[in-house]
Amino acid sequence: MSVLSLATRLERTVGAAIDRALPAGSGADPLVRRSAHADFQSNAVLALARRHGIAPPDLARTLAGDLRDSAVADVTVSGPGFLNVTVTDKALWTQAALRHASDRLGVPSPETGRRTVVDYSAPNIAKEMHVGHLRTTILGDSLARILTHLGGDVVRQNHLGDWGTQFGMLIQYLDEHPGTPWHGRDLPAGASAVSALDGLYRAARSEFDADPGFADRSRARVVALQTGDEATISVWRDIVAESERAFRVIYERLGVLLTAADSAGESTYNDSLADVAAELADTGIAVTSDGALCVFSAEVTGPDGDPVPLLVRKSDGGYGYDTTDLATIRHRIRELAADRILYVVDSRQALHFRLIFEAARRAGWLDGGVEPVHVAFGTVLGPDGTPFKTRSGGTVRLAGLLDEAVDRAREVAAEKNPEMDPAQLDAIAEQLGVGAVKYADLSTSRTRDYVFDAQRMVSLTGDTGVYLQYAHARIRSILAKAAGLTTEVDPSLPLAPAERRLVLALDEFGCVLAEVAAALEPHRLCGYLFGLAKAYSEFYETCPVLTAPDPLKGNRIVLCELTARTLHTGLGLLGIAAPSRL
């Protein structure tokens, strides 16, 4: 069951009053928002009055006297023409009852009928996942969850780096160093295959740079890989399989939805690269320049003033990731029938995707309203404010980063409950630590950089995931004591100020999710959940629940249940666990 929010209802009410007061078809945005001066405020009058040559106070008074809605208790005019709207207690209690009765908390499904492809995570085969994969993985997964929850048909895509010159180097190195342990069954207990492969790739890279003979043999091995040599392909498949197993461990730990079925690496499009190049050449979009086939941008110029090229085919006949990404977007449009494609990739790739999208438009692939979006994000920084590195200047392993947060969370949990069973402590520390990392990332506007600070992330106070997890567990503890009590809403009761603020916050949930889906900004959901938890805390401090008289007790238990369910659902959409006990 979908429940119309009070904000949306009032937008329609104010909009109808505007249409009655002004020439038909004004199409004005009622600009109804939550307010500190009343329950809601409409700020539409100033612009409308100016446009129609009316004194703002006169128009405001006209609208205030014509808001035809039974939910409106009072309307006042403030300042130069702001409409302050207070809704009835009955309307608020009714909203709470309707949302409580809905298995979806009344949240509508505005994404129904739209297929969205979400491209995220994209680690490289034979390399360990590192801090650079954190934001794409967490942001992409949250967006996939939210769009699905809103009724969307979401196709997750993990565009693995599983093809190219580096595999020629690595496979050739393994061939020339037989017996080198890297396969899962050859490694010591507890050792990571992908960690071993990462080290072997670095060794192969060094040999490639130092030995021209090895470099030539590696290039020949690349050709063997691309032409389907059985022995080379067999080793490559083993490398991919071992790497994907290692990725699964990280994904399961993060609670990420990606599965092996979502993997669509660069190799997936290898057989279509020549066809993409031919199609672009035949239509005249791609032209030959110095032996290479290029698409020269009609929108972007370089420092020299010349159009920036997208390299479709190299002068030696080979293909790079430009071509692979062109084949990928064509596949997602033609084969996956996407209405929208989200590329959750860091902001440094902005020019690349601008060129890819431009070429796809010029090729006619994006006809029909398909919308490609580069969901750009900033960088995770270390304590010194620079991109996060190890003390030696190396890349920070993602598993190590999670370990640090979990260790900090274990200290916090043990201090709060020193008698906790060690096994239970470990399980809780994992939920708190991983949740803290995810929330710290998601609560930051994705376009901003942020500093990784494990100690701050696991704090029990302030805007942290741990604070929200403890808030949820606290409510569940209260509800456990209320088991068996009546949970029906009596809409005739008056509302205390803290009750009013809590109900208004609960009523915003669906609107916030819709905003996140439109702006692709999960931090808005984080901010909402933090505000909801604070509103509940104020409510609980000033409004007794279990000791309240009937029927008020039933109303307040409903508010507790509704808050707990909203926190649980909201944290779940962020991919964060919401334990019932901590």
Side-chain angles (χ1 to χ4, degrees):
M1 177 180 68
S2 176
V3 178
L4 188 70
S5 71
L6 286 170
T8 302
R9 177 173 172 174
L10 290 176
E11 282 178 352
R12 296 178 181 179
T13 298
V14 175
I18 290 171
D19 287 342
R20 288 191 294 271
L22 297 172
S26 62
D29 184 344
L31 295 175
V32 172
R33 305 288 185 270
R34 285 283 306 279
S35 172
H37 305 289
D39 293 336
F40 297 94
Q41 186 175 82
S42 170
N43 301 337
V45 167
L46 293 181
L48 284 170
R50 189 180 305 114
R51 188 185 313 159
H52 292 275
I54 305 172
D58 291 343
L59 178 58
R61 283 191 290 271
T62 298
L63 296 178
D66 193 33
L67 294 189
R68 304 172 187 176
D69 192 319
S70 61
V72 175
D74 184 46
V75 186
T76 60
V77 177
S78 66
F82 300 121
L83 297 179
N84 294 323
V85 182
T86 301
V87 298
T88 66
D89 290 355
K90 180 179 179 180
L92 288 169
W93 280 126
T94 300
Q95 288 295 106
L98 289 171
R99 294 195 180 280
H100 183 259
S102 167
D103 58 358
R104 288 180 46 80
L105 300 169
V107 173
S109 304
E111 289 291 318
T112 299
R114 176 153 71 165
R115 169 168 281 200
T116 301
V117 172
V118 185
D119 179 331
Y120 65 106
S121 195
N124 291 317
I125 294 296
K127 294 184 180 179
E128 288 193 278
M129 291 184 71
H130 55 75
V131 67
H133 297 114
L134 178 64
R135 302 208 73 183
T136 173
T137 304
I138 292 174
L139 283 163
D141 198 63
S142 179
L143 290 173
R145 289 170 180 270
I146 292 167
L147 294 173
T148 300
H149 188 72
L150 294 179
D153 177 10
V154 175
V155 180
R156 299 182 298 273
Q157 294 273 275
N158 195 357
H159 193 75
L160 300 171
D162 66 351
W163 205 245
T165 304
Q166 66 268 32
F167 292 98
M169 290 182 213
L170 180 56
I171 294 171
Q172 188 62 32
Y173 186 88
L174 290 171
D175 189 55
E176 295 183 11
H177 297 78
T180 301
W182 68 270
H183 205 286
R185 59 176 174 267
D186 299 328
L187 291 168
S192 163
V194 74
S195 179
L197 286 168
D198 202 338
L200 290 171
Y201 170 73
R202 287 195 294 270
R205 177 84 246 186
S206 296
E207 192 163 336
F208 184 91
D209 293 338
D211 182 352
F214 178 75
D216 288 341
R217 294 192 297 276
S218 295
R219 294 188 185 97
R221 182 70 72 166
V222 174
V223 174
L225 177 64
Q226 293 175 338
T227 55
D229 174 71
E230 187 174 336
T232 302
I233 289 290
S234 177
V235 177
W236 172 79
R237 286 194 183 115
D238 280 347
I239 291 171
V240 171
E242 288 293 340
S243 299
E244 288 221 59
R245 273 191 280 273
F247 300 156
R248 292 280 85 71
V249 172
I250 295 291
Y251 292 150
E252 288 174 8
R253 191 173 185 190
L254 283 171
V256 167
L257 297 175
L258 287 170
T259 67
D262 301 317
S263 295
E266 296 173 19
S267 62
T268 305
Y269 309 98
N270 186 57
D271 293 342
S272 62
L273 301 183
D275 182 58
V276 167
E279 182 176 343
L280 294 174
D282 290 345
T283 56
I285 296 166
V287 297
T288 301
S289 175
D290 295 329
L293 187 65
C294 304
V295 174
F296 287 93
S297 176
E299 302 173 0
V300 185
T301 57
D304 55 4
D306 293 334
V308 174
L310 195 64
L311 187 58
V312 178
R313 187 175 60 229
K314 301 175 185 178
S315 57
D316 63 3
Y319 301 100
Y321 66 87
D322 285 354
T323 326
T324 300
D325 278 352
L326 286 167
T328 301
I329 194 170
R330 189 181 72 162
H331 172 78
R332 290 169 177 173
I333 295 165
R334 291 182 177 174
E335 310 304 325
L336 298 183
D339 298 304
R340 181 170 58 168
I341 309 170
L342 307 183
Y343 291 84
V344 188
V345 182
D346 77 66
S347 55
R348 292 171 295 181
Q349 297 297 315
L351 175 59
H352 171 71
F353 283 112
R354 183 175 176 184
L355 296 175
I356 292 293
F357 299 162
E358 180 196 346
R361 280 192 297 270
R362 291 169 63 187
W365 300 341
L366 292 172
D367 287 351
V370 180
E371 179 189 12
V373 183
H374 176 204
V375 185
F377 54 82
T379 303
V380 181
L381 306 176
D384 61 355
T386 62
F388 205 2
K389 299 285 185 181
T390 63
R391 291 182 179 178
S392 62
T395 302
V396 176
R397 295 168 52 251
L398 185 49
L401 183 146
L402 296 177
D403 288 342
E404 180 184 353
V406 169
D407 288 344
R408 292 281 188 179
R410 185 179 290 105
E411 295 173 5
V412 170
E415 183 177 344
K416 190 169 182 64
N417 190 351
E419 304 302 320
M420 188 179 296
D421 174 76
Q424 184 183 7
L425 177 62
D426 287 344
I428 288 174
E430 184 73 15
Q431 289 181 316
L432 296 182
V434 172
V437 170
K438 298 181 79 170
Y439 187 84
D441 193 303
L442 292 168
S443 62
T444 304
S445 174
R446 61 176 167 80
T447 57
R448 292 177 50 199
D449 300 340
Y450 75 93
V451 174
F452 183 88
D453 182 344
Q455 185 166 352
R456 182 190 63 80
M457 289 176 180
V458 300
S459 173
L460 290 171
T461 60
D463 189 5
T464 68
V466 176
Y467 171 78
L468 294 181
Q469 288 171 313
Y470 267 97
H472 175 263
R474 178 188 181 192
I475 301 172
R476 289 297 181 193
S477 174
I478 295 165
L479 291 172
K481 297 174 184 176
L485 298 179
T486 301
T487 55
E488 292 184 3
V489 169
D490 181 346
S492 68
L493 297 179
L495 275 156
E499 288 175 320
R500 173 175 291 270
R501 285 187 286 272
L502 180 57
V503 175
L504 285 167
L506 290 164
D507 197 49
E508 288 185 285
F509 187 44
C511 294
V512 170
L513 292 181
E515 289 175 7
V516 173
L520 305 175
E521 284 277 17
H523 82 274
R524 299 188 184 193
L525 174 56
C526 295
Y528 166 78
L529 294 175
F530 180 56
L532 176 63
K534 290 200 299 181
Y536 178 83
S537 180
E538 181 186 352
F539 156 78
Y540 189 70
E541 288 173 3
T542 58
C543 300
V545 177
L546 300 179
T547 59
D550 293 325
L552 181 58
K553 182 189 299 182
N555 284 33
R556 289 179 175 174
I557 291 173
V558 165
L559 293 187
C560 291
E561 290 181 345
L562 192 50
T563 304
R565 288 173 57 200
T566 304
L567 285 172
H568 187 278
T569 301
L571 287 169
L573 294 175
L574 297 173
I576 296 173
S580 295
R581 296 180 61 188
L582 287 174

